[in-house]
Amino acid sequence: MEEKKQKLLIVEAGPEPGKTYVVQFPCTVGRSRDNNIAIDDPRISRHHTRIYRSMGRDQIEDIGSTNGTWLNNVRITRPTLLTPGDLIQLADTVTLRFVIEGEPVTAAPSPADFPEPELLLEEEIALPEVLPDEGMSVALAVAQADPLSSPALPRGISTLLIGLVILILISLGFAAYLWFAPEASLKWLLDMLGVRLPQAVICMRLAL
């Protein structure tokens, strides 16, 4: 019976370059010693990446690392198929090559081709401080100071002004009637009201 060949991870960049790890499925990789493969590097997370078999195929996934996992220059965000010769990058410092024991390694991208993302040490991560929204406060103050938004005049004052305007219009209309009305009609109206016009006014109307 032919002996089953082992799957290996070879360190190409990072602590102990050239070191070989045997992959025992499922296999976790990270900084903590409770991983199957523990790599002492401050840029990688305590539990960084998992390699496992599903439906007879090798797969890799990032398990919530701080600085991400790349497979052949592409950052992975979901389980991804892993094939011999692939390059696995953990953060920006550790590069591993996935190979099968005794088989030639096919060409794959060089570690120098990997992107250099902005990274943080896991201990440096903190939630941002929530500050009051000063812009909103200023906008609210301006809106409150806007003269266009000032309240209307009190109802009583508005009613009084409207009444004065109506009274003025009625007075002007009555004055116009008195001036242009026929003499007989004017005399009848004045007799009804008990009012006597000055003689000068009567002469002026007669002259017009």
Side-chain angles (χ1 to χ4, degrees), residues 20 41 45 63 67 71 74 77 80 85 98 111 138 140 155 171 189:
T20 300
D41 186 286
S45 298
I63 49 178
N67 292 321
L71 182 65
V74 179
T77 57
T80 304
F98 181 70
V138 172
L140 181 59
R155 185 174 180 181
S171 300
L189 178 63

Side-chain angles (χ1 to χ4, degrees), residues 127-144:
L127 292 175
E129 182 181 0
V130 178
L131 299 176
D133 189 348
E134 296 181 1
M136 183 177 297
S137 301
V138 172
L140 181 59
V142 171
Q144 292 175 344

Side-chain angles (χ1 to χ4, degrees), residues 48-50 60-69 76-78:
H48 199 107
T49 300
R50 185 168 76 104
I60 183 172
E61 67 176 341
D62 185 271
I63 49 178
S65 69
T66 300
N67 292 321
T69 300
I76 60 174
T77 57
R78 62 183 67 183

